[in-house]
């Protein structure tokens, strides 16, 4: 079972920052938080990942709370092409093998 | 980022036949590959994990005799859907990672849409 919960849908105006929340209250100390997105009928696209510290790359920023029970993905200047389903995933390790177990994700719609 | 390809991108087959889907890592050696399936308007469901040169580990509820996985090299894994039925129609997606637990990147292929008639 997925270890994350996300709102099913969100809307954001083009050009504004999109802030996508994720709860992962049962995360363990060595489990990473990943974010992927999936545009219709395509494979998931990697966005960013983090363990404890906030992370930033060319696509987004990831803010992880100090207790690591939740995180927020920030798309600083959303465009229409950012419309997609965004998945927040905790990478679990079972018997030495890593797995990404997807939850239901957040369907983000960027409006013009 | 690393590139993972799948072939074919879509396939239509008749009930009772078998279909093979290939997953390749194009610019890195994938020690571990994963196979997912996705039904319309649903999330991805992990089917199995395969490590190069060893048998795949299947998730609970996934029939290993129906979904044959072979990971014979560090750049290729195949999923064969045997005796396909219409309910096997789905979007099949592979992903790959290199190295062990220290490598955190996992890259996904573009998916293969299977339609069984």
């Amino acid at each position: 079972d997925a270890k994350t919960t996300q709102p099913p849908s969100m809307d954001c105006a083009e050009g504004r920052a999109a802030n996508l929340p994720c709860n992962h209250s049962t995360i363990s100390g060595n489990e990473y938080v990943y974010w992927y997105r999936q545009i219709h009928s395509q494979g998931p696209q990697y966005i960013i990942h983090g363990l404890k510290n906030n992370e930033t790359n060319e696509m987004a920023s990831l803010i992880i709370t100090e207790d690591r029970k939740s995180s927020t993905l920030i798309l600083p200047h959303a465009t229409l092409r950012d419309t997609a389903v965004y998945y927040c995933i905790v990478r679990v390790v079972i018997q030495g093998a890593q797995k990404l177990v997807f939850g239901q994700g957040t369907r983000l719609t960027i409006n013009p | 980022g690393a590139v993972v390809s799948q072939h074919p991108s879509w396939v239509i087959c008749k009930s009772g036949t078998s279909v093979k889907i290939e997953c390749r890592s194009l610019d890195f050696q994938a020690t571990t590959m994963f196979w997912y399936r996705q039904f319309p308007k649903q999330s991805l469901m992990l089917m199995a994990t395969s490590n190069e040169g060893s048998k795949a580990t299947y998730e609970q509820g996934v029939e290993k005799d129906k979904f044959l996985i072979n990971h014979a090299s560090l750049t290729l894994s195949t999923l064969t859907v045997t005796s396909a039925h219409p309910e096997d129609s789905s979007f099949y997606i592979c992903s790959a990672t290199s190295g062990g637990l220290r490598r955190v990147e996992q890259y996904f292929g573009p998916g293969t849409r299977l339609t069984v008639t």
Side-chain angles (χ1 to χ4, degrees):
Chain A
D1 291 336
K3 297 182 72 170
T4 62
T5 55
Q6 300 175 252
S9 64
M10 291 182 64
D11 284 83
C12 179
E14 187 179 17
R16 305 295 292 270
N19 298 281
L20 291 88
C22 178
N23 286 322
H24 32 79
S25 57
T26 61
I27 193 170
S28 298
N30 60 350
E31 291 178 334
Y32 284 81
V33 178
Y34 284 73
W35 283 83
Y36 284 82
R37 71 181 182 185
Q38 186 179 28
I39 297 170
H40 183 63
S41 295
Q42 297 182 23
Q45 177 190 21
Y46 167 81
I47 301 174
I48 199 167
H49 72 273
L51 183 62
K52 299 178 187 176
N53 301 320
N54 298 336
E55 302 288 339
T56 296
N57 62 21
E58 65 278 5
M59 290 184 69
S61 294
L62 174 61
I63 308 298
I64 302 174
T65 57
E66 194 169 343
D67 62 8
R68 302 212 324 123
K69 293 185 177 182
S70 65
S71 60
T72 301
L73 179 74
I74 302 172
L75 307 178
H77 305 287
T79 70
L80 298 178
R81 287 180 294 181
D82 291 324
T83 292
V85 178
Y86 286 76
Y87 294 100
C88 168
I89 305 163
V90 170
R91 186 186 77 157
V92 298
V93 177
I94 300 174
Q95 296 180 333
Q98 63 163 319
K99 296 182 181 182
L100 295 182
V101 179
F102 285 71
Q104 294 307 306
T106 295
R107 182 171 297 277
L108 175 67
T109 302
I110 305 301
N111 300 307
Chain B
V3 178
V4 176
S5 71
Q6 285 184 239
H7 178 79
S9 55
W10 59 271
V11 58
I12 301 173
C13 72
K14 293 186 176 181
S15 264
T17 61
S18 295
V19 175
K20 180 184 284 188
I21 302 170
E22 293 185 351
C23 175
R24 294 182 184 273
S25 58
L26 299 184
D27 54 359
F28 68 102
Q29 293 186 327
T31 52
T32 304
M33 287 185 169
F34 306 84
W35 287 95
Y36 294 79
R37 67 188 296 182
Q38 184 176 33
F39 292 109
K41 297 187 179 181
Q42 293 187 23
S43 185
L44 283 76
M45 184 196 79
L46 180 64
M47 299 175 67
T49 302
S50 74
N51 293 299
E52 185 263 340
S54 61
K55 290 184 179 180
T57 301
Y58 291 80
E59 296 298 301
Q60 193 172 8
V62 178
E63 299 175 58
K64 61 181 179 181
D65 294 330
K66 180 166 184 62
F67 299 100
L68 302 179
I69 292 172
N70 184 283
H71 189 169
S73 78
L74 286 171
T75 59
L76 173 65
S77 176
T78 60
L79 167 68
T80 301
V81 182
T82 63
S83 187
H85 289 106
E87 55 265 32
D88 297 324
S89 298
S90 188
F91 193 48
Y92 291 87
I93 307 169
C94 73
S95 71
T97 186
S98 62
L101 298 179
R102 288 189 171 187
R103 292 303 301 263
V104 297
E105 298 87 355
Q106 186 169 330
Y107 299 96
F108 286 79
T112 296
R113 186 161 301 284
L114 169 64
T115 302
V116 184
T117 61

